Amino acid sequence: MTKGKVKAIIENLVQVEVSGPVSQNEICYIEFQGVKLMAEVIKVLGNIAYTQVFESTRGLRPGSPVEFTDKMLEVKLGPGMLSKNYDGLQNDLNKMKGLFLTRGEYTDPLDEDSSWEFTPLAKAGDKVSAGDWLGSVPESWIEHKIMVPFGLEGDYTVKEVSAKGSYKISDTIAILSDKEGNDIKINMVQYWPVKIPIKCYIQKPRPFKLLETGVRTIDTLNPMVEGGTGFIPGPFGAGKTVLQHSIAKNADADMIIMAACGERANEVVELFVEFPELDDPRTGRKLMERTIIVCNTSNMPVAAREASVYTAMTIAEYYRNMGLKVFLLADSTSRWAQALREMSNRMEELPGPDAFPMDLPAIVSSFYARAGFVYLKGGSTGSITFIGTVSPAGGNLKEPVTEATKKAARCFYALSQTRADSKRYPAVDPIDSYSKYLEYPEVIDYLNENVNPNWVNDVTQTKDILHRGREAQEQINILGDDGVPLSYHDRYWKSELLDRIILQQDGFDEVDQSTPMKRQEYMLELILGICNQDYVYESFEEVMPFYIKLINICKQMNYVLFDSEDFKKYEAELHKEVEQRSAK
């Protein structure tokens, strides 16, 4: 095992003089005052290894001994991860003592003493390979699959599988034989490096299935698909975190992984406090029961901040291989990019725009590419849908992190400060935002087949009305109410009707906080029907009161159960108002 000693220290970048071979991304431990500080090799030049330390380096001095492990940064995978709060190194935060994190304290992410009810899925004589299911244990409400370790190459024969019963995660539950007849004992635990994707699947096609989030401005206008990628940029106070939480609560996913990679400590604390109290509309239990939180606050070392997103993604890939729909939310990837910038600057690399690394777009793209929809062995499917938030300085959507993420993510949900200031929530700008999945032929076919035969055309028409409405509003603001034709007022208020009824949503109302796709389709058809009619006005002063009346009726429809008596009563009232004003 290679050893070394500290040569130089620049904040969290520590140069180590080594006495033997070391590799990129290898983990080492620096001895300091009786504790060991974990670090990762990020660059090797001759006999000098550049390492980023995951802890504070305050007080560390040159000459301190360093020991290399010959392993990469890895996570421990197995039953018992659901409902846990981890840091970026997968330390169980609930096991740590005291109010503040202690330097050099590392905890086991799994409970070695807990017993799990194992049910075998494979039998003696079966041919298996990496990622195949050997058995399952119930974890909360999901069936946690015990798999052939991802690191095993080639085919193996199942020699023996334990009978149904209660076992600890370290107990042997299967024995595999390789081609040479060597036996390999398998338990419920496996390890995997966080920066290497888990690829134990048959095929990874382009995603095509709609993933319902319950948020109308997303599902209707710019849909996310199962296994898709998207990001939410926006200035401070525009509602990025709230929108993410709403999606997490209502999305059609089996489990949620929240990666808080560098958010302020108070926001992370709110996450810990609020999530255990949220009711899960899918299961009727607590949302935390199908959630894993991986967090590093902004005042933690930059290396730990960078590790958190990779740790979260690796855990998501592990559960995807069980045939689950995983929703991964990262808040905020800007802090992750800033951590990359800090380390790049300390290594004196050639800076790119705004001093970010030159290869930032490649790093972001390779990370987003780990999400996706996959076909597994045995005919099952699994998916990771990834949505990250970006916090551009001053709301500047032209800065490098936003631009790099735009190239990688397929969905762009731009939060508008103007919409947030006018209390139009969710504050997703309908003009600037987009979903490139609407250009995929397989997604178009899926939507037209499963939602409405004319759905994609309806969405296109909706965007056109909103765009023309904004143009009309700008003309009215410039020329005045009486300086434009009546048609401009009508066009603007039709876009307002769509905006206030379809795009705006009350996250605190029991009914309106989440809208099923069937109801979204019905309401969009209803509103488009109103927008496609011509109306008679004596003057522009009659336009606003008419549409305000329609908006108020439709708002009431949004707050009552779909297809209920009250819903039908408001709908009849709506049709009556429309008929009275319609051109004969």
Side-chain angles (χ1 to χ4, degrees), residues 27 90 99 116 125 139 154-155 209 225 272-273 355 409 482 514 567:
I27 292 298
Q90 210 198 2
L99 186 62
W116 300 87
E139 182 184 14
D155 295 326
K209 290 184 178 180
V225 295
F272 288 151
V273 173
D482 54 356
S514 178
F567 184 89

Side-chain angles (χ1 to χ4, degrees), residues 89-100:
L89 304 179
Q90 210 198 2
N91 292 302
D92 188 344
L93 295 175
N94 294 334
K95 291 181 180 178
M96 292 186 169
K97 299 176 181 178
L99 186 62
F100 297 98

Side-chain angles (χ1 to χ4, degrees), residues 353-354 392 395-404 406:
D354 287 7
N396 174 25
L397 299 185
K398 298 296 182 183
E399 56 89 41
V401 181
T402 306
E403 287 294 313
K406 256 187 175 182

Side-chain angles (χ1 to χ4, degrees), residues 451-519:
V451 181
N452 182 313
N454 202 41
W455 181 249
V456 177
N457 289 335
D458 288 345
V459 172
T460 303
Q461 184 190 358
T462 302
K463 291 185 176 183
D464 182 60
I465 293 172
L466 291 168
H467 194 79
R468 288 163 61 85
R470 180 173 292 186
E471 291 175 345
Q473 181 189 24
E474 291 171 354
Q475 290 296 315
I476 293 170
N477 289 340
I478 294 170
L479 302 175
D481 288 336
D482 54 356
V484 297
L486 263 175
S487 59
Y488 278 54
H489 291 276
D490 185 65
R491 192 183 304 164
Y492 165 66
W493 278 101
K494 281 177 178 175
S495 71
E496 277 292 286
L497 179 64
L498 273 169
D499 191 326
R500 299 194 191 187
I501 304 307
I502 303 298
L503 304 187
Q504 294 178 46
Q505 204 163 343
D506 190 342
F508 296 97
D509 183 78
E510 188 175 342
V511 175
D512 198 38
Q513 66 176 335
S514 178
T515 307
M517 206 61 213
K518 183 179 178 182
R519 179 167 185 160

Side-chain angles (χ1 to χ4, degrees), residues 151-163:
L152 294 184
E153 298 179 357
D155 295 326
Y156 296 81
T157 303
V158 178
K159 183 176 181 179
E160 181 184 324
V161 179
S162 297

